[in-house]
Amino acid sequence: MDIETLIRTLENNNISIWSEQDKLSVSVPNGGLSDSLRASIREHKAELLKRLKSGRLLSRDSGHTPQISVPPNLIYPDSATITPDMLPLIALSQADIDRIVGLVPGGVANIQDIYALSPLQDGILFHHLLTTVGDPYLMVSQIAFADRTMLDRFLDALQQVVDRHDILRTALAWEGLSEPAQVVWRHAQLSVTEVSLDPGTASEQLARRFNPRHTRIDLTQAPLLRFFIAQEPDSSRWMMLYLQHHVICDNITSEMLQDEVAAILSGRRDTLAPSQPFRNLVAQARFGAGADVQESFFRRMLGDIDEPTLPFGLSDVHRDGQGIAEYRRMLPQALNDRLRHHARRLGVSLTSLCHLAFGQVLARCSGRETVVFGTVLFGRMHTGEGADRAIGPFINTLPLRLDLDDTPLEQSVRQAHQRLAELLQHEHASLALAQRCSSVAAPMPLFSVLLNYRHSRLAGIGTQDTSNHSVQGIEFLGGHAARNNYPCDLSVDDYNHALALTLRVVDSLSPERVCDLMQCALESLVQALDDVPAMPVRQLEVLPAAERELLL
């Protein structure tokens, strides 16, 4: 494959590349490279190194915005004051800055940096403020410890991780300001609350008491992590429930945080990579592709869309995460293998096949052949060297348009792949800007459904399965990711050798039946690619036999 196709393939498969002392390094999420992709990287190694050194991963005529130069942080440890000219990543008045300083414990001496919110953070803050009870953007985890000593060791290791990463010492400020800001504290102590439990199951009591459906955390106080601990009744074990706010982390960040804690507990702190500042992403979003370039792209994609895609009649996209039913299933291994085979054969990502199948489900359930839905982007492709190892909320949600018409199936697969590649070039664009580029009249939403294709792993700290970072005396009991404001979202978890579907939808619908539609669409897709690859994509079946019989 040529160099441009190679780079798009790396992007679509969330494979990061960077240079270290004239050597090309490659990071593959939870898996290895195919032989053909490995050969292509070797073939184009010199050109890849050249582009990385020059700060551009794609050619000038590819539509990609070259890497920008990140303005330096001008707030020094001995700064006595902070003035607007010291904040190149946000436009604040002196009055704004003085208000922020008054909010931070320790004042100027405890402020490391101040900069704008990323597009994703803007959206999360909006919905946080819109919700008055609970918070749909809180991520929950539970861990059991053999004794209090192990719990204290864990908290000490976690404090070291917080000290390493600026985003984990970040609070938000917005009241009375000309624009919302994120403020990096130099020192942010973990908030740990000890509670007493009644006889019974400790994990269930903690989950009920601190359920995000009625629990909120103060976004103006760093770190935006909250820990609730309790001794298990009649036992030496200690339980912990901790909350992380999605405004400072995503699923990848949570995994990295667990890995770093495990490394410190195992005496391997010196193996941790240098921390990467989150301000690099903010700089890319602020000074990367201009709003005019982004607007031009989204107008080409969405300008003729004058009706929203609302499958099942779902139109409320300002929900608080309440009243949601969830269902999860592992896909059959045979289906997983056939999907990966066709992705390799066609030279496209597995992500593209899943997006096309989901698009067909939405087309059938909304009565439209041109559908738009939100896709969650990895967000680490165009933010500079080391972004694959950076902690913070790098993901972003943007609209994807698919046309499920008379186009031959294989051609539709490649079109979906190409559209995802083009969308990745604008991965830090504002969702609000993208939605304004359609012809859908406000206040109607452009879409009401999300697809999140993510590379995942099955383990956490202390588990005995695929994790290489288990720590004796610590047991990860699980948890759940942040909810969102949409009435329906599908996550496809790629475990490299397996695939899982997790469907969350308003409880008036059956998540299991919607998963049935998606699985049927995937099965129909691989069968058609086997037998009739030239058939019109609109003919892909989404209705399982049992559902068809029920309807008839």
Side-chain angles (χ1 to χ4, degrees), residues 1-10 13 34-41 43-44 344 346-348 417:
M1 65 180 73
D2 62 29
I3 183 70
E4 307 300 349
T5 302
L6 170 61
I7 293 174
R8 283 194 292 270
T9 301
L10 294 175
N13 288 278
S34 66
D35 291 340
S36 61
L37 192 53
R38 190 186 304 275
S40 293
I41 291 174
E43 178 187 355
H44 297 291
R344 289 191 297 269
L346 296 172
V348 301
H417 183 79

mmCIF file with all atom_site columns, all heavy atoms in Angstrom, residues 1-10 13 34-41 43-44 344 346-348 417:
data_model
loop_
_atom_site.group_PDB
_atom_site.id
_atom_site.type_symbol
_atom_site.label_atom_id
_atom_site.label_alt_id
_atom_site.label_comp_id
_atom_site.label_asym_id
_atom_site.label_entity_id
_atom_site.label_seq_id
_atom_site.pdbx_PDB_ins_code
_atom_site.Cartn_x
_atom_site.Cartn_y
_atom_site.Cartn_z
_atom_site.occupancy
_atom_site.B_iso_or_equiv
_atom_site.pdbx_formal_charge
_atom_site.auth_seq_id
_atom_site.auth_comp_id
_atom_site.auth_asym_id
_atom_site.auth_atom_id
_atom_site.pdbx_PDB_model_num
ATOM 1   N N   . MET A 1 1   ? 0.851   -1.192  0.000  1.00 0.00 ? 1   MET A N   1
ATOM 2   C CA  . MET A 1 1   ? 0.000   0.000   0.000  1.00 0.00 ? 1   MET A CA  1
ATOM 3   C C   . MET A 1 1   ? 0.888   1.243   0.000  1.00 0.00 ? 1   MET A C   1
ATOM 4   O O   . MET A 1 1   ? 2.028   1.203   0.477  1.00 0.00 ? 1   MET A O   1
ATOM 5   C CB  . MET A 1 1   ? -0.933  -0.002  1.215  1.00 0.00 ? 1   MET A CB  1
ATOM 6   C CG  . MET A 1 1   ? -0.240  0.102   2.563  1.00 0.00 ? 1   MET A CG  1
ATOM 7   S SD  . MET A 1 1   ? -1.393  0.105   3.974  1.00 0.00 ? 1   MET A SD  1
ATOM 8   C CE  . MET A 1 1   ? -1.901  -1.615  3.999  1.00 0.00 ? 1   MET A CE  1
ATOM 9   N N   . ASP A 1 2   ? 0.353   2.363   -0.532 1.00 0.00 ? 2   ASP A N   1
ATOM 10  C CA  . ASP A 1 2   ? 1.153   3.581   -0.558 1.00 0.00 ? 2   ASP A CA  1
ATOM 11  C C   . ASP A 1 2   ? 1.172   4.236   0.822  1.00 0.00 ? 2   ASP A C   1
ATOM 12  O O   . ASP A 1 2   ? 0.461   3.830   1.741  1.00 0.00 ? 2   ASP A O   1
ATOM 13  C CB  . ASP A 1 2   ? 0.641   4.549   -1.637 1.00 0.00 ? 2   ASP A CB  1
ATOM 14  C CG  . ASP A 1 2   ? -0.785  5.012   -1.380 1.00 0.00 ? 2   ASP A CG  1
ATOM 15  O OD1 . ASP A 1 2   ? -1.201  5.084   -0.200 1.00 0.00 ? 2   ASP A OD1 1
ATOM 16  O OD2 . ASP A 1 2   ? -1.502  5.303   -2.357 1.00 0.00 ? 2   ASP A OD2 1
ATOM 17  N N   . ILE A 1 3   ? 1.978   5.283   0.972  1.00 0.00 ? 3   ILE A N   1
ATOM 18  C CA  . ILE A 1 3   ? 2.195   5.894   2.277  1.00 0.00 ? 3   ILE A CA  1
ATOM 19  C C   . ILE A 1 3   ? 0.926   6.494   2.858  1.00 0.00 ? 3   ILE A C   1
ATOM 20  O O   . ILE A 1 3   ? 0.639   6.360   4.053  1.00 0.00 ? 3   ILE A O   1
ATOM 21  C CB  . ILE A 1 3   ? 3.326   6.967   2.200  1.00 0.00 ? 3   ILE A CB  1
ATOM 22  C CG1 . ILE A 1 3   ? 3.607   7.568   3.582  1.00 0.00 ? 3   ILE A CG1 1
ATOM 23  C CG2 . ILE A 1 3   ? 2.985   8.047   1.187  1.00 0.00 ? 3   ILE A CG2 1
ATOM 24  C CD1 . ILE A 1 3   ? 4.264   6.616   4.543  1.00 0.00 ? 3   ILE A CD1 1
ATOM 25  N N   . GLU A 1 4   ? 0.094   7.136   2.003  1.00 0.00 ? 4   GLU A N   1
ATOM 26  C CA  . GLU A 1 4   ? -1.128  7.764   2.521  1.00 0.00 ? 4   GLU A CA  1
ATOM 27  C C   . GLU A 1 4   ? -2.118  6.704   3.000  1.00 0.00 ? 4   GLU A C   1
ATOM 28  O O   . GLU A 1 4   ? -2.763  6.865   4.046  1.00 0.00 ? 4   GLU A O   1
ATOM 29  C CB  . GLU A 1 4   ? -1.769  8.649   1.439  1.00 0.00 ? 4   GLU A CB  1
ATOM 30  C CG  . GLU A 1 4   ? -0.826  9.676   0.818  1.00 0.00 ? 4   GLU A CG  1
ATOM 31  C CD  . GLU A 1 4   ? -0.262  10.656  1.833  1.00 0.00 ? 4   GLU A CD  1
ATOM 32  O OE1 . GLU A 1 4   ? -0.750  10.686  2.970  1.00 0.00 ? 4   GLU A OE1 1
ATOM 33  O OE2 . GLU A 1 4   ? 0.670   11.389  1.481  1.00 0.00 ? 4   GLU A OE2 1
ATOM 34  N N   . THR A 1 5   ? -2.251  5.606   2.244  1.00 0.00 ? 5   THR A N   1
ATOM 35  C CA  . THR A 1 5   ? -3.146  4.528   2.665  1.00 0.00 ? 5   THR A CA  1
ATOM 36  C C   . THR A 1 5   ? -2.653  3.910   3.959  1.00 0.00 ? 5   THR A C   1
ATOM 37  O O   . THR A 1 5   ? -3.435  3.573   4.855  1.00 0.00 ? 5   THR A O   1
ATOM 38  C CB  . THR A 1 5   ? -3.237  3.456   1.565  1.00 0.00 ? 5   THR A CB  1
ATOM 39  O OG1 . THR A 1 5   ? -3.700  4.056   0.365  1.00 0.00 ? 5   THR A OG1 1
ATOM 40  C CG2 . THR A 1 5   ? -4.191  2.342   1.978  1.00 0.00 ? 5   THR A CG2 1
ATOM 41  N N   . LEU A 1 6   ? -1.332  3.751   4.075  1.00 0.00 ? 6   LEU A N   1
ATOM 42  C CA  . LEU A 1 6   ? -0.763  3.197   5.303  1.00 0.00 ? 6   LEU A CA  1
ATOM 43  C C   . LEU A 1 6   ? -1.116  4.056   6.511  1.00 0.00 ? 6   LEU A C   1
ATOM 44  O O   . LEU A 1 6   ? -1.556  3.543   7.552  1.00 0.00 ? 6   LEU A O   1
ATOM 45  C CB  . LEU A 1 6   ? 0.756   3.086   5.161  1.00 0.00 ? 6   LEU A CB  1
ATOM 46  C CG  . LEU A 1 6   ? 1.527   2.756   6.448  1.00 0.00 ? 6   LEU A CG  1
ATOM 47  C CD1 . LEU A 1 6   ? 1.096   1.419   7.011  1.00 0.00 ? 6   LEU A CD1 1
ATOM 48  C CD2 . LEU A 1 6   ? 3.028   2.781   6.187  1.00 0.00 ? 6   LEU A CD2 1
ATOM 49  N N   . ILE A 1 7   ? -0.963  5.368   6.382  1.00 0.00 ? 7   ILE A N   1
ATOM 50  C CA  . ILE A 1 7   ? -1.219  6.251   7.529  1.00 0.00 ? 7   ILE A CA  1
ATOM 51  C C   . ILE A 1 7   ? -2.693  6.232   7.903  1.00 0.00 ? 7   ILE A C   1
ATOM 52  O O   . ILE A 1 7   ? -3.055  6.196   9.082  1.00 0.00 ? 7   ILE A O   1
ATOM 53  C CB  . ILE A 1 7   ? -0.733  7.685   7.225  1.00 0.00 ? 7   ILE A CB  1
ATOM 54  C CG1 . ILE A 1 7   ? 0.800   7.689   7.118  1.00 0.00 ? 7   ILE A CG1 1
ATOM 55  C CG2 . ILE A 1 7   ? -1.183  8.658   8.298  1.00 0.00 ? 7   ILE A CG2 1
ATOM 56  C CD1 . ILE A 1 7   ? 1.394   8.987   6.676  1.00 0.00 ? 7   ILE A CD1 1
ATOM 57  N N   . ARG A 1 8   ? -3.570  6.225   6.897  1.00 0.00 ? 8   ARG A N   1
ATOM 58  C CA  . ARG A 1 8   ? -5.009  6.148   7.206  1.00 0.00 ? 8   ARG A CA  1
ATOM 59  C C   . ARG A 1 8   ? -5.341  4.824   7.894  1.00 0.00 ? 8   ARG A C   1
ATOM 60  O O   . ARG A 1 8   ? -6.180  4.776   8.800  1.00 0.00 ? 8   ARG A O   1
ATOM 61  C CB  . ARG A 1 8   ? -5.832  6.322   5.933  1.00 0.00 ? 8   ARG A CB  1
ATOM 62  C CG  . ARG A 1 8   ? -5.919  7.768   5.455  1.00 0.00 ? 8   ARG A CG  1
ATOM 63  C CD  . ARG A 1 8   ? -7.009  7.936   4.418  1.00 0.00 ? 8   ARG A CD  1
ATOM 64  N NE  . ARG A 1 8   ? -6.684  7.257   3.178  1.00 0.00 ? 8   ARG A NE  1
ATOM 65  C CZ  . ARG A 1 8   ? -6.017  7.822   2.171  1.00 0.00 ? 8   ARG A CZ  1
ATOM 66  N NH1 . ARG A 1 8   ? -5.608  9.067   2.279  1.00 0.00 ? 8   ARG A NH1 1
ATOM 67  N NH2 . ARG A 1 8   ? -5.770  7.153   1.075  1.00 0.00 ? 8   ARG A NH2 1
ATOM 68  N N   . THR A 1 9   ? -4.690  3.736   7.469  1.00 0.00 ? 9   THR A N   1
ATOM 69  C CA  . THR A 1 9   ? -4.929  2.443   8.097  1.00 0.00 ? 9   THR A CA  1
ATOM 70  C C   . THR A 1 9   ? -4.466  2.448   9.549  1.00 0.00 ? 9   THR A C   1
ATOM 71  O O   . THR A 1 9   ? -5.150  1.927   10.446 1.00 0.00 ? 9   THR A O   1
ATOM 72  C CB  . THR A 1 9   ? -4.193  1.331   7.317  1.00 0.00 ? 9   THR A CB  1
ATOM 73  O OG1 . THR A 1 9   ? -4.654  1.320   5.967  1.00 0.00 ? 9   THR A OG1 1
ATOM 74  C CG2 . THR A 1 9   ? -4.446  -0.032  7.948  1.00 0.00 ? 9   THR A CG2 1
ATOM 75  N N   . LEU A 1 10  ? -3.310  3.049   9.804  1.00 0.00 ? 10  LEU A N   1
ATOM 76  C CA  . LEU A 1 10  ? -2.835  3.168   11.182 1.00 0.00 ? 10  LEU A CA  1
ATOM 77  C C   . LEU A 1 10  ? -3.819  3.960   12.029 1.00 0.00 ? 10  LEU A C   1
ATOM 78  O O   . LEU A 1 10  ? -4.136  3.584   13.163 1.00 0.00 ? 10  LEU A O   1
ATOM 79  C CB  . LEU A 1 10  ? -1.461  3.844   11.199 1.00 0.00 ? 10  LEU A CB  1
ATOM 80  C CG  . LEU A 1 10  ? -0.297  3.082   10.563 1.00 0.00 ? 10  LEU A CG  1
ATOM 81  C CD1 . LEU A 1 10  ? 0.954   3.945   10.552 1.00 0.00 ? 10  LEU A CD1 1
ATOM 82  C CD2 . LEU A 1 10  ? -0.035  1.778   11.279 1.00 0.00 ? 10  LEU A CD2 1
ATOM 83  N N   . ASN A 1 13  ? -7.077  2.081   12.881 1.00 0.00 ? 13  ASN A N   1
ATOM 84  C CA  . ASN A 1 13  ? -6.881  0.972   13.812 1.00 0.00 ? 13  ASN A CA  1
ATOM 85  C C   . ASN A 1 13  ? -6.263  1.422   15.129 1.00 0.00 ? 13  ASN A C   1
ATOM 86  O O   . ASN A 1 13  ? -5.811  0.593   15.914 1.00 0.00 ? 13  ASN A O   1
ATOM 87  C CB  . ASN A 1 13  ? -6.008  -0.108  13.168 1.00 0.00 ? 13  ASN A CB  1
ATOM 88  C CG  . ASN A 1 13  ? -6.748  -0.876  12.093 1.00 0.00 ? 13  ASN A CG  1
ATOM 89  O OD1 . ASN A 1 13  ? -7.499  -1.807  12.391 1.00 0.00 ? 13  ASN A OD1 1
ATOM 90  N ND2 . ASN A 1 13  ? -6.561  -0.493  10.844 1.00 0.00 ? 13  ASN A ND2 1
ATOM 91  N N   . SER A 1 34  ? -0.677  -7.131  11.758 1.00 0.00 ? 34  SER A N   1
ATOM 92  C CA  . SER A 1 34  ? -0.757  -8.151  10.728 1.00 0.00 ? 34  SER A CA  1
ATOM 93  C C   . SER A 1 34  ? 0.551   -8.157  9.939  1.00 0.00 ? 34  SER A C   1
ATOM 94  O O   . SER A 1 34  ? 1.293   -7.165  9.915  1.00 0.00 ? 34  SER A O   1
ATOM 95  C CB  . SER A 1 34  ? -1.932  -7.875  9.793  1.00 0.00 ? 34  SER A CB  1
ATOM 96  O OG  . SER A 1 34  ? -1.702  -6.685  9.062  1.00 0.00 ? 34  SER A OG  1
ATOM 97  N N   . ASP A 1 35  ? 0.838   -9.275  9.294  1.00 0.00 ? 35  ASP A N   1
ATOM 98  C CA  . ASP A 1 35  ? 2.080   -9.379  8.534  1.00 0.00 ? 35  ASP A CA  1
ATOM 99  C C   . ASP A 1 35  ? 2.155   -8.333  7.431  1.00 0.00 ? 35  ASP A C   1
ATOM 100 O O   . ASP A 1 35  ? 3.207   -7.731  7.190  1.00 0.00 ? 35  ASP A O   1
ATOM 101 C CB  . ASP A 1 35  ? 2.207   -10.786 7.935  1.00 0.00 ? 35  ASP A CB  1
ATOM 102 C CG  . ASP A 1 35  ? 2.439   -11.845 9.007  1.00 0.00 ? 35  ASP A CG  1
ATOM 103 O OD1 . ASP A 1 35  ? 2.866   -11.480 10.122 1.00 0.00 ? 35  ASP A OD1 1
ATOM 104 O OD2 . ASP A 1 35  ? 2.179   -13.028 8.731  1.00 0.00 ? 35  ASP A OD2 1
ATOM 105 N N   . SER A 1 36  ? 1.006   -8.092  6.760  1.00 0.00 ? 36  SER A N   1
ATOM 106 C CA  . SER A 1 36  ? 1.010   -7.129  5.652  1.00 0.00 ? 36  SER A CA  1
ATOM 107 C C   . SER A 1 36  ? 1.233   -5.706  6.147  1.00 0.00 ? 36  SER A C   1
ATOM 108 O O   . SER A 1 36  ? 1.953   -4.921  5.521  1.00 0.00 ? 36  SER A O   1
ATOM 109 C CB  . SER A 1 36  ? -0.311  -7.211  4.880  1.00 0.00 ? 36  SER A CB  1
ATOM 110 O OG  . SER A 1 36  ? -1.404  -6.899  5.722  1.00 0.00 ? 36  SER A OG  1
ATOM 111 N N   . LEU A 1 37  ? 0.628   -5.374  7.298  1.00 0.00 ? 37  LEU A N   1
ATOM 112 C CA  . LEU A 1 37  ? 0.805   -4.023  7.830  1.00 0.00 ? 37  LEU A CA  1
ATOM 113 C C   . LEU A 1 37  ? 2.232   -3.835  8.346  1.00 0.00 ? 37  LEU A C   1
ATOM 114 O O   . LEU A 1 37  ? 2.843   -2.773  8.160  1.00 0.00 ? 37  LEU A O   1
ATOM 115 C CB  . LEU A 1 37  ? -0.210  -3.770  8.947  1.00 0.00 ? 37  LEU A CB  1
ATOM 116 C CG  . LEU A 1 37  ? -0.364  -2.321  9.419  1.00 0.00 ? 37  LEU A CG  1
ATOM 117 C CD1 . LEU A 1 37  ? -0.646  -1.385  8.256  1.00 0.00 ? 37  LEU A CD1 1
ATOM 118 C CD2 . LEU A 1 37  ? -1.480  -2.227  10.455 1.00 0.00 ? 37  LEU A CD2 1
ATOM 119 N N   . ARG A 1 38  ? 2.782   -4.865  8.971  1.00 0.00 ? 38  ARG A N   1
ATOM 120 C CA  . ARG A 1 38  ? 4.164   -4.790  9.439  1.00 0.00 ? 38  ARG A CA  1
ATOM 121 C C   . ARG A 1 38  ? 5.118   -4.570  8.258  1.00 0.00 ? 38  ARG A C   1
ATOM 122 O O   . ARG A 1 38  ? 6.051   -3.756  8.322  1.00 0.00 ? 38  ARG A O   1
ATOM 123 C CB  . ARG A 1 38  ? 4.530   -6.078  10.173 1.00 0.00 ? 38  ARG A CB  1
ATOM 124 C CG  . ARG A 1 38  ? 5.863   -6.022  10.913 1.00 0.00 ? 38  ARG A CG  1
ATOM 125 C CD  . ARG A 1 38  ? 6.211   -7.385  11.490 1.00 0.00 ? 38  ARG A CD  1
ATOM 126 N NE  . ARG A 1 38  ? 5.164   -7.874  12.360 1.00 0.00 ? 38  ARG A NE  1
ATOM 127 C CZ  . ARG A 1 38  ? 5.065   -7.562  13.649 1.00 0.00 ? 38  ARG A CZ  1
ATOM 128 N NH1 . ARG A 1 38  ? 5.956   -6.756  14.191 1.00 0.00 ? 38  ARG A NH1 1
ATOM 129 N NH2 . ARG A 1 38  ? 4.084   -8.059  14.381 1.00 0.00 ? 38  ARG A NH2 1
ATOM 130 N N   . ALA A 1 39  ? 4.846   -5.275  7.142  1.00 0.00 ? 39  ALA A N   1
ATOM 131 C CA  . ALA A 1 39  ? 5.697   -5.125  5.962  1.00 0.00 ? 39  ALA A CA  1
ATOM 132 C C   . ALA A 1 39  ? 5.597   -3.718  5.377  1.00 0.00 ? 39  ALA A C   1
ATOM 133 O O   . ALA A 1 39  ? 6.602   -3.129  4.943  1.00 0.00 ? 39  ALA A O   1
ATOM 134 C CB  . ALA A 1 39  ? 5.312   -6.163  4.909  1.00 0.00 ? 39  ALA A CB  1
ATOM 135 N N   . SER A 1 40  ? 4.378   -3.137  5.389  1.00 0.00 ? 40  SER A N   1
ATOM 136 C CA  . SER A 1 40  ? 4.194   -1.786  4.856  1.00 0.00 ? 40  SER A CA  1
ATOM 137 C C   . SER A 1 40  ? 4.906   -0.754  5.713  1.00 0.00 ? 40  SER A C   1
ATOM 138 O O   . SER A 1 40  ? 5.480   0.218   5.201  1.00 0.00 ? 40  SER A O   1
ATOM 139 C CB  . SER A 1 40  ? 2.698   -1.455  4.772  1.00 0.00 ? 40  SER A CB  1
ATOM 140 O OG  . SER A 1 40  ? 2.060   -2.255  3.801  1.00 0.00 ? 40  SER A OG  1
ATOM 141 N N   . ILE A 1 41  ? 4.885   -0.946  7.027  1.00 0.00 ? 41  ILE A N   1
ATOM 142 C CA  . ILE A 1 41  ? 5.588   -0.013  7.916  1.00 0.00 ? 41  ILE A CA  1
ATOM 143 C C   . ILE A 1 41  ? 7.091   -0.075  7.656  1.00 0.00 ? 41  ILE A C   1
ATOM 144 O O   . ILE A 1 41  ? 7.769   0.963   7.598  1.00 0.00 ? 41  ILE A O   1
ATOM 145 C CB  . ILE A 1 41  ? 5.269   -0.330  9.389  1.00 0.00 ? 41  ILE A CB  1
ATOM 146 C CG1 . ILE A 1 41  ? 3.805   0.005   9.697  1.00 0.00 ? 41  ILE A CG1 1
ATOM 147 C CG2 . ILE A 1 41  ? 6.185   0.443   10.330 1.00 0.00 ? 41  ILE A CG2 1
ATOM 148 C CD1 . ILE A 1 41  ? 3.351   -0.403  11.082 1.00 0.00 ? 41  ILE A CD1 1
ATOM 149 N N   . GLU A 1 43  ? 8.487   -0.946  4.850  1.00 0.00 ? 43  GLU A N   1
ATOM 150 C CA  . GLU A 1 43  ? 8.723   -0.374  3.521  1.00 0.00 ? 43  GLU A CA  1
ATOM 151 C C   . GLU A 1 43  ? 8.794   1.140   3.567  1.00 0.00 ? 43  GLU A C   1
ATOM 152 O O   . GLU A 1 43  ? 9.606   1.770   2.883  1.00 0.00 ? 43  GLU A O   1
ATOM 153 C CB  . GLU A 1 43  ? 7.619   -0.833  2.568  1.00 0.00 ? 43  GLU A CB  1
ATOM 154 C CG  . GLU A 1 43  ? 7.738   -0.249  1.161  1.00 0.00 ? 43  GLU A CG  1
ATOM 155 C CD  . GLU A 1 43  ? 6.531   -0.590  0.298  1.00 0.00 ? 43  GLU A CD  1
ATOM 156 O OE1 . GLU A 1 43  ? 5.658   -1.359  0.761  1.00 0.00 ? 43  GLU A OE1 1
ATOM 157 O OE2 . GLU A 1 43  ? 6.463   -0.069  -0.833 1.00 0.00 ? 43  GLU A OE2 1
ATOM 158 N N   . HIS A 1 44  ? 7.926   1.758   4.377  1.00 0.00 ? 44  HIS A N   1
ATOM 159 C CA  . HIS A 1 44  ? 7.832   3.221   4.397  1.00 0.00 ? 44  HIS A CA  1
ATOM 160 C C   . HIS A 1 44  ? 8.473   3.821   5.652  1.00 0.00 ? 44  HIS A C   1
ATOM 161 O O   . HIS A 1 44  ? 8.188   4.973   6.011  1.00 0.00 ? 44  HIS A O   1
ATOM 162 C CB  . HIS A 1 44  ? 6.368   3.650   4.318  1.00 0.00 ? 44  HIS A CB  1
ATOM 163 C CG  . HIS A 1 44  ? 5.676   3.247   3.049  1.00 0.00 ? 44  HIS A CG  1
ATOM 164 N ND1 . HIS A 1 44  ? 5.980   3.794   1.835  1.00 0.00 ? 44  HIS A ND1 1
ATOM 165 C CD2 . HIS A 1 44  ? 4.702   2.328   2.824  1.00 0.00 ? 44  HIS A CD2 1
ATOM 166 C CE1 . HIS A 1 44  ? 5.226   3.254   0.901  1.00 0.00 ? 44  HIS A CE1 1
ATOM 167 N NE2 . HIS A 1 44  ? 4.438   2.359   1.460  1.00 0.00 ? 44  HIS A NE2 1
ATOM 168 N N   . ARG A 1 344 ? -9.265  -7.701  6.641  1.00 0.00 ? 344 ARG A N   1
ATOM 169 C CA  . ARG A 1 344 ? -7.913  -7.861  6.073  1.00 0.00 ? 344 ARG A CA  1
ATOM 170 C C   . ARG A 1 344 ? -7.966  -7.981  4.553  1.00 0.00 ? 344 ARG A C   1
ATOM 171 O O   . ARG A 1 344 ? -7.149  -7.378  3.840  1.00 0.00 ? 344 ARG A O   1
ATOM 172 C CB  . ARG A 1 344 ? -7.244  -9.090  6.684  1.00 0.00 ? 344 ARG A CB  1
ATOM 173 C CG  . ARG A 1 344 ? -6.843  -8.947  8.142  1.00 0.00 ? 344 ARG A CG  1
ATOM 174 C CD  . ARG A 1 344 ? -5.948  -10.091 8.586  1.00 0.00 ? 344 ARG A CD  1
ATOM 175 N NE  . ARG A 1 344 ? -6.644  -11.376 8.509  1.00 0.00 ? 344 ARG A NE  1
ATOM 176 C CZ  . ARG A 1 344 ? -7.325  -11.917 9.498  1.00 0.00 ? 344 ARG A CZ  1
ATOM 177 N NH1 . ARG A 1 344 ? -7.407  -11.290 10.665 1.00 0.00 ? 344 ARG A NH1 1
ATOM 178 N NH2 . ARG A 1 344 ? -7.911  -13.084 9.366  1.00 0.00 ? 344 ARG A NH2 1
ATOM 179 N N   . LEU A 1 346 ? -10.127 -6.831  2.423  1.00 0.00 ? 346 LEU A N   1
ATOM 180 C CA  . LEU A 1 346 ? -10.511 -5.593  1.740  1.00 0.00 ? 346 LEU A CA  1
ATOM 181 C C   . LEU A 1 346 ? -9.566  -4.432  2.070  1.00 0.00 ? 346 LEU A C   1
ATOM 182 O O   . LEU A 1 346 ? -9.704  -3.351  1.503  1.00 0.00 ? 346 LEU A O   1
ATOM 183 C CB  . LEU A 1 346 ? -11.948 -5.216  2.122  1.00 0.00 ? 346 LEU A CB  1
ATOM 184 C CG  . LEU A 1 346 ? -13.037 -6.205  1.671  1.00 0.00 ? 346 LEU A CG  1
ATOM 185 C CD1 . LEU A 1 346 ? -14.374 -5.828  2.280  1.00 0.00 ? 346 LEU A CD1 1
ATOM 186 C CD2 . LEU A 1 346 ? -13.134 -6.238  0.153  1.00 0.00 ? 346 LEU A CD2 1
ATOM 187 N N   . GLY A 1 347 ? -8.645  -4.641  3.000  1.00 0.00 ? 347 GLY A N   1
ATOM 188 C CA  . GLY A 1 347 ? -7.737  -3.564  3.367  1.00 0.00 ? 347 GLY A CA  1
ATOM 189 C C   . GLY A 1 347 ? -8.413  -2.434  4.119  1.00 0.00 ? 347 GLY A C   1
ATOM 190 O O   . GLY A 1 347 ? -8.027  -1.267  3.987  1.00 0.00 ? 347 GLY A O   1
ATOM 191 N N   . VAL A 1 348 ? -9.423  -2.777  4.920  1.00 0.00 ? 348 VAL A N   1
ATOM 192 C CA  . VAL A 1 348 ? -10.140 -1.772  5.703  1.00 0.00 ? 348 VAL A CA  1
ATOM 193 C C   . VAL A 1 348 ? -10.056 -2.164  7.171  1.00 0.00 ? 348 VAL A C   1
ATOM 194 O O   . VAL A 1 348 ? -9.594  -3.249  7.519  1.00 0.00 ? 348 VAL A O   1
ATOM 195 C CB  . VAL A 1 348 ? -11.622 -1.652  5.264  1.00 0.00 ? 348 VAL A CB  1
ATOM 196 C CG1 . VAL A 1 348 ? -11.718 -1.279  3.800  1.00 0.00 ? 348 VAL A CG1 1
ATOM 197 C CG2 . VAL A 1 348 ? -12.386 -2.950  5.537  1.00 0.00 ? 348 VAL A CG2 1
ATOM 198 N N   . HIS A 1 417 ? -15.058 3.200   5.184  1.00 0.00 ? 417 HIS A N   1
ATOM 199 C CA  . HIS A 1 417 ? -13.673 3.296   5.630  1.00 0.00 ? 417 HIS A CA  1
ATOM 200 C C   . HIS A 1 417 ? -13.084 4.667   5.296  1.00 0.00 ? 417 HIS A C   1
ATOM 201 O O   . HIS A 1 417 ? -12.423 5.304   6.135  1.00 0.00 ? 417 HIS A O   1
ATOM 202 C CB  . HIS A 1 417 ? -12.859 2.186   4.960  1.00 0.00 ? 417 HIS A CB  1
ATOM 203 C CG  . HIS A 1 417 ? -11.433 2.136   5.386  1.00 0.00 ? 417 HIS A CG  1
ATOM 204 N ND1 . HIS A 1 417 ? -11.031 1.578   6.579  1.00 0.00 ? 417 HIS A ND1 1
ATOM 205 C CD2 . HIS A 1 417 ? -10.297 2.575   4.779  1.00 0.00 ? 417 HIS A CD2 1
ATOM 206 C CE1 . HIS A 1 417 ? -9.711  1.679   6.695  1.00 0.00 ? 417 HIS A CE1 1
ATOM 207 N NE2 . HIS A 1 417 ? -9.242  2.275   5.616  1.00 0.00 ? 417 HIS A NE2 1
#
